[in-house]
Amino acid sequence: MTLDVLIRGGRVVDGTGSPWVRADVGITGDRITAIGNLSGASAPREIDATGLIVAPGFIDCHSHSDWSLLANRGADSTLMQGVTTEVVGNCGMSYAPVTHLNEARLAADVSRTSPGVQLAWHSFADYLEAVRSGGIGANFAFQAGHAAIRSAVMGSGERPATPDEIAGMERHLAQALEEGAIGFSTGLEFVPGRAALRDELLALAKVVARYDRIHTCHQRTRNEEFGASVDEIVG
């Protein structure tokens, strides 16, 4: 058996819910290729994990690391916490799609959160390519944010959308889902999402359902109208 890395004697927790077992873990290239008693194996790099837990990477299902990812491609703080996958684009916030109506605002956001990085994309596909092209240290799953989609159609206007504007948002969302977004997020407590009414949210939810993707939501309020804000989303 050819191994590049051999982790010996750890308590292996495999993420399935099964009890931990004491085992060795063998890695070849970037794959786990053996788990069990590997006492007869060797590798150029061996790690003594006696007394330690060996587990798959954790998934952070609500992260905003996309705000700084383009300036921190190694994702060091993520990896040092044992997180290897992050779901980003939460609370209605994403850096795509971009049109002339929201380009200045998003460019300012990118400049603030990722100093030295220039906004050089428009579609969601362009944005994902900008992320991939420079390499990243962890796995990221991107959602399309309602704020970006709404402002791509309406600019910064904080008002109810017209039927034509809702149709424009539907087109942008469908394109983002086709181009790699895993779902759609809303941030109904924040500008401009707080101006969205039920007809707008329902129309966009139907697009998400058509593509069998997820919808995550930062509800409209976390205070005195908490119950009503939950009912708005689940109803």
Side-chain angles (χ1 to χ4, degrees), residues 122-206:
H122 289 92
S123 70
F124 212 86
D126 293 340
Y127 171 58
L128 294 182
E129 181 55 32
V131 173
R132 292 191 192 98
S133 64
I136 48 178
N139 302 305
F140 287 83
F142 292 84
Q143 299 175 90
H146 178 223
I149 288 171
R150 196 175 208 268
S151 62
V153 174
M154 299 177 60
S156 58
E158 192 177 352
R159 58 173 175 77
T162 67
D164 284 347
E165 288 168 337
I166 292 174
M169 291 183 224
E170 291 178 273
R171 290 191 293 272
H172 276 293
L173 176 55
Q175 181 177 346
L177 295 174
E178 289 177 359
E179 292 178 344
I182 67 159
F184 172 62
S185 77
T186 45
L188 303 182
E189 189 176 7
F190 312 122
V191 176
R194 67 186 186 184
L197 302 180
R198 179 177 173 80
D199 57 344
E200 176 182 334
L201 298 175
L202 187 58
L204 294 171
K206 288 179 178 178

Side-chain angles (χ1 to χ4, degrees), residues 4-22:
D4 296 320
V5 179
L6 180 54
I7 304 172
R8 292 193 182 276
R11 297 180 179 184
V12 175
V13 179
D14 65 8
T16 66
S18 301
W20 68 268
V21 296
R22 192 174 304 281

